[in-house]
Amino acid sequence: MKHVAAYLLLVLGGNASPTADDVTKALASVGVEADDESLQRFMSEMEGKDLNEVLEAGQEMLAKFGSGGGGGGGGGGGGGGGGAAEEEKEEEKVEEEEADMGGGMDMFGGGDGGDY
């Protein structure tokens, strides 16, 4: 796979027909060692072929698999917790009432117009 990726990057970079040496140099530039056997096998498979045609043929092969998706996730949990939600709402109302200070104080606790 690393050979294919390097080959594609070289083509995208402007090298219309990269050689095995080009792929090896590209991989070495990022510290990856090329596997000569699999690189030679890949290069022999690509010899004389147009990359765009190879990619189109691959897309046609993938289209046969379909994209059926994996289906949705599982359903939500069951019922049985309705009473707790009502209790939370009541608690929130109580907290809001406690936080109300009647509007007589400003943000810093004074109202006397001091320096701070």
Side-chain angles (χ1 to χ4, degrees), residues 17-96:
S17 57
T19 64
D21 191 44
D22 293 335
V23 173
T24 301
K25 286 180 184 177
L27 289 172
S29 72
V30 293
V32 177
E33 187 177 329
D35 177 18
D36 290 332
E37 183 182 328
S38 62
L39 177 58
Q40 290 305 321
R41 188 175 340 117
F42 170 70
M43 294 304 294
S44 66
E45 290 176 5
M46 289 301 295
E47 191 174 334
K49 295 181 181 176
D50 179 46
L51 180 61
N52 291 323
E53 291 174 6
V54 172
L55 292 174
E56 279 185 36
Q59 281 183 328
E60 290 173 10
M61 294 169 90
L62 288 174
K64 292 177 185 175
F65 286 108
S67 61
E86 291 176 14
E87 290 177 19
E88 287 180 24
K89 287 181 183 178
E90 289 178 21
E91 288 178 20
E92 288 178 18
K93 288 181 182 178
V94 171
E95 289 179 20
E96 289 176 14

